[in-house]
Amino acid sequence: MAGHNQFGKLGEQKVIDFLKAKNYRILTRNYRYLKAEIDIVAQHADTLIVVEVKSRNKGFYEELTTTISSKKIKLLTMAANQFIQENDLDLEVRFDVVTVIKNGEHLHIEHLENAFYFF
């Protein structure tokens, strides 16, 4: 597995640990529907949280939240709708982005709630 893929998996696991520490219940990881993939699906209170994880090394200067294109938003929305239908859920839905930045051996995690709206 390439180094960036390993770091991406490590980033996702760190985000899961981070969310669990904030009392989020992790429902699934890497949920796929057609061409869409949701990194993490969690629940917090009465809200379904669709989490996009962005892991990067220090020196990546682009604002990570801007790396989510309108096409990606449509795919995430489609997959979230499918997940809700498959699991017969009646919850509010929120789309979050969690960034993991590696600086040497240190990982910095930043959680952006309501990163985008789907309507």
Side-chain angles (χ1 to χ4, degrees), residues 44-61:
H44 190 252
D46 293 331
T47 304
L48 185 76
I49 314 296
V50 175
V51 180
E52 178 70 9
V53 177
K54 293 293 184 183
S55 301
R56 297 288 192 269
N57 287 309
K58 184 180 178 195
F60 184 81
Y61 296 110

Side-chain angles (χ1 to χ4, degrees), residues 11 13 18 41 48 52 62 64 71 73 81 85 96 98 114:
Q13 186 57 53
F18 172 83
V41 180
L48 185 76
E52 178 70 9
E62 181 178 5
L64 291 176
K71 179 181 178 182
I73 291 171
N81 284 333
Q85 289 178 6
D96 293 2
V98 181
N114 289 311

Side-chain angles (χ1 to χ4, degrees), residues 4 13 15-16 25 36 44 52-53 65 67-68 81 98 103 106 110 114:
H4 68 279
Q13 186 57 53
V15 171
I16 287 172
R25 186 166 62 103
H44 190 252
E52 178 70 9
V53 177
T65 56
T67 63
I68 302 173
N81 284 333
V98 181
N103 184 1
H106 177 71
E110 191 171 318
N114 289 311

Side-chain angles (χ1 to χ4, degrees), residues 20-54:
K20 284 181 175 179
K22 292 174 66 174
N23 295 318
Y24 284 62
R25 186 166 62 103
I26 306 303
L27 302 179
T28 193
R29 179 176 178 174
N30 303 117
Y31 174 78
R32 294 179 188 274
Y33 175 69
L34 300 176
K35 294 183 179 186
E37 180 181 356
I38 300 172
D39 294 328
I40 300 168
V41 180
Q43 185 175 345
H44 190 252
D46 293 331
T47 304
L48 185 76
I49 314 296
V50 175
V51 180
E52 178 70 9
V53 177
K54 293 293 184 183

Side-chain angles (χ1 to χ4, degrees), residues 4 19 25 30 43 45 49 52 63 70 73 82 88 90-91 95 101 103 106 113 115 117:
H4 68 279
L19 293 172
R25 186 166 62 103
N30 303 117
Q43 185 175 345
I49 314 296
E52 178 70 9
E63 175 63 39
S70 59
I73 291 171
Q82 181 64 26
D88 195 28
D90 185 22
L91 300 169
F95 293 88
I101 306 295
N103 184 1
H106 177 71
E113 296 180 6
Y117 297 96

